[in-house]
């Protein structure tokens, strides 16, 4: 799957909740195709975008970036909200864990737990952190890394090898 398509469909699905927000998307050129379940992975991005829409001030900007590293493709979602409760960045990925100040906002605390389960099922990792600028929290950052996997070959040799296996 091209990452562009999954990011595009997640953004389209979130359009109603993201209204009025500037969203920057910067996907590096030549990202490798990824072996992923598009429906489930879209759910991961939708969870992150819905959280950003819910827990950051209306109209504040979001940024999505992706780049290829040696072994992985890294996808980063940044917001400009109040950030994650310090020291609880990992705990928020547990089922039913929510921030204190969120208790008044509807939600059950499952979004990040589900997101992590999906990313891990793809052999990847997901973490949350606060972005610091000048010693101050400038917003939350969620980072996903997915294994690059083996790109499909198109010279016919992969198909021939599969044929051999069957025989
Ligand atoms: N972008 C964000 N900015 C600030 N806090 C966040 C953000 N995303 C998630 N959180 C915190 O993580 C908690 C858990 O998120 P999640 O698992 O999606 O559950 P829910 O959204 O139902 O509370 C939220 O309640 C909130 O405290
Ligand atoms: Mg949520």
């Amino acid at each position: 799957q091209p990452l562009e398509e999954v990011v595009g469909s997640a953004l389209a699905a979130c359009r109603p909740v993201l209204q009025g927000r500037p969203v920057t998307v910067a996907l590096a050129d030549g990202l490798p195709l990824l072996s992923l379940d598009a429906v489930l992975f879209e759910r991961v991005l939708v969870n992150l975008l819905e959280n950003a829409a819910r827990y950051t001030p209306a109209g504040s900007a979001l940024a999505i970036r992706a780049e290829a590293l040696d072994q992985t493709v890294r996808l980063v979602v940044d917001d400009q909200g109040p950030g994650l409760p310090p020291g609880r960045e990992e705990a928020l990925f547990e089922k039913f864990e929510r921030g204190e100040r969120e208790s008044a906002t509807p939600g059950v605390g499952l979004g990040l737990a589900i997101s992590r389960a999906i990313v891990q099922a793809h052999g990847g990792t997901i973490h949350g952190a606060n972005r610091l600028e000048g010693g101050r929290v400038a917003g939350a950052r969620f980072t996903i890394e997915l294994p690059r996997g083996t790109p499909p070959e198109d010279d016919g040799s992969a198909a021939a090898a599969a044929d051999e296996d069957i025989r």
Side-chain angles (χ1 to χ4, degrees):
Q1 302 277 346
L3 198 54
E4 288 87 343
E5 284 197 11
V6 194
V7 170
S9 57
L11 282 170
C14 290
R15 192 158 298 146
V17 292
L18 293 178
Q19 52 184 326
R21 286 170 184 271
V23 182
T24 323
V25 181
L27 307 182
D29 287 336
L31 286 176
L33 295 174
L34 292 173
S35 173
L36 50 80
D37 182 309
V39 172
L40 289 179
F41 198 72
E42 180 185 322
R43 174 44 50 189
V44 173
L45 296 182
V46 166
N47 285 344
L48 295 183
L49 293 170
E50 282 181 353
N51 279 348
R54 216 183 252 173
Y55 305 123
T56 71
S60 66
L62 302 178
I64 302 173
R65 284 187 292 117
E67 60 185 334
L69 308 180
D70 259 8
Q71 308 284 333
T72 60
V73 170
R74 178 185 289 162
L75 181 79
V76 177
V77 179
D78 282 349
D79 67 42
Q80 300 188 351
L84 308 177
R88 299 206 51 234
E89 296 89 341
E90 274 298 301
L92 295 176
F93 286 86
E94 301 285 331
K95 288 178 195 151
F96 309 116
E97 284 289 334
R98 310 189 70 208
E100 292 265 297
R101 65 181 161 237
E102 276 69 44
S103 42
T105 318
V108 290
L110 281 175
L112 291 178
I114 291 167
S115 298
R116 177 167 275 176
I118 294 172
V119 171
Q120 286 178 343
H122 286 82
T125 58
I126 177 169
H127 294 284
N130 287 327
R131 288 185 302 113
L132 297 179
E133 273 169 28
R136 287 192 159 170
V137 174
R141 164 168 296 171
F142 287 89
T143 304
I144 297 172
E145 286 202 24
L146 291 171
R148 288 180 68 140
T150 321
E153 294 176 34
D154 61 0
D155 62 1
S157 62
D163 236 29
E164 288 283 63
D165 282 351
I166 291 163
R167 277 190 243 117

